[in-house]
Structure formats: structure tokens, C-alpha cells
Amino acid sequence: CSLNLIENPIYHVQYFDTINEGDICVWRNQEYTTAGIYCDSLTTVSGCDSLLYLNLVVHPRYDFITYDTICHGETYMWQGNTYNKTGVYDTIYQTIQGNDSIYELHLTVMPTYYNSLSHYLCSGDTYVWHQKELTEAGTYYDSLQTRYGCDSIFALELIETPSYQFYTYDTICTGDSYAFGENIF
């Protein structure tokens, strides 16, 4: 008796694929989003298993977020551009693997304040403003910073008004009284 034995081969087939983070790889009617080695099997016509392997590489996506503030009237340089308004700005670059690197800027423009005041000062009087004693006409400035570090400007226009002295000359007889304003002399 002779035996004629035929050995049927078992196949090991490897597939390699790469995707970018956030993309989907469809292999053998299955969806994959995570890097790894995945296996599936088939049966050959001779009844032997054939193993299929997917080696999936997922290239990461890079997100860089920056939060910053500036004061009104200032500019902000970022990624080669100049900004001066509140907003969300982004720039997208591609890595060597072809996936996106996203740079995002959240910029807030804080207000600055300008407050002006006019005040009349009689000649010879003193006016106290921001802990300063002022005696002369002119425009005075002071600045403070807001809690965000932005300047607030205060301006005072001090206007000097002359003071006048009026002399009244009058005569009365002895024993008479004289009314002047609300006083009686």
C-alpha cells in the first residue's frame, strides 16, 4: 500500500496600511481607527486556514492651542500674521506623513479707557485730583492699569476763572442801621 499525501499550504498574508488620526481604515468590511495588528482568516478550497494580517499605523494629528490677550490698540504677531481683533484664528500645516498639524489662537482684545473731565477753579483756590493738589489752569493726565494690564488714561482740563472783589462805598448817619446782603450793620 502506498500513501500519496498532499500537503496543502497555509497562507499568511500581511497587509500594511497607514491612516491619519481621525480617519478610518476599512479592511475586510471592518472599520479600524486605532493602530494595531488585526487578523482575519479564510478557508482555502482545500479546507486549510489562511491567515490575513493588517498592520495599521495611525499617524497622529497635532493640535496646538494658544490663549492670549492684548490691549486695545496693540497688535499680536502669530504664525507670520498680525492680529488686532478678538477672535479664533488657525493655521494648518501638513506633517511628513500628510496629516494635519493645527495651530489655533484664541485672542482676546481687552479695552482701554480714556476719561476726560473739565473743572473750573477760582483764582487762588486748590483742586485735589488723584491725590495731587492743583492750583494752576492746564491739562493734567494720570494713568492707571486695568486688571488685564491695559492703560486707562484720565485727563483733567482745569480752567481758571478770575475771582472778583467788589467794593461798596456808602454812608449812614449815626444811629441808623445799614442792610448789606443778609447782614444788618
Side-chain angles (χ1 to χ4, degrees), residues 14-27:
Q14 291 198 26
Y15 296 92
F16 296 90
D17 202 356
T18 60
I19 61 172
N20 294 323
E21 184 178 357
D23 291 343
I24 297 171
C25 173
V26 178
W27 182 71

Side-chain angles (χ1 to χ4, degrees), residues 3 10 14 31 33 60 78 85 92-93 105 109 112 118 125-126 142 150 153 156 167 180 182:
L3 175 64
I10 296 175
Q14 291 198 26
E31 292 183 353
T33 59
W78 182 76
K85 294 185 187 326
I92 300 173
Y93 298 104
L105 169 65
V109 178
T112 57
S118 293
D125 285 352
T126 300
D142 195 6
C150 299
I153 306 296
L156 169 67
Y167 296 98
F180 182 75
E182 295 182 9

Side-chain angles (χ1 to χ4, degrees), residues 68-76 83-89 105-113 146 148 150:
D68 216 339
T69 60
I70 60 173
C71 297
H72 178 77
E74 295 179 344
T75 58
Y76 191 87
Y83 301 96
N84 63 2
K85 294 185 187 326
T86 295
V88 177
Y89 305 97
L105 169 65
H106 294 250
L107 183 64
T108 304
V109 178
M110 296 300 186
T112 57
Y113 299 97
T146 66
Y148 303 109
C150 299

Side-chain angles (χ1 to χ4, degrees), residues 58-73:
V58 178
H59 293 293
R61 177 179 133 173
Y62 300 97
D63 292 324
F64 303 97
I65 300 176
T66 301
Y67 295 88
D68 216 339
T69 60
I70 60 173
C71 297
H72 178 77

Side-chain angles (χ1 to χ4, degrees), residues 36-63:
I37 299 174
Y38 301 96
C39 183
D40 195 5
S41 63
L42 297 172
T43 304
T44 64
V45 290
S46 58
C48 297
D49 284 340
S50 290
L51 298 176
L52 306 174
Y53 296 96
L54 170 65
N55 290 295
L56 182 62
V57 175
V58 178
H59 293 293
R61 177 179 133 173
Y62 300 97
D63 292 324

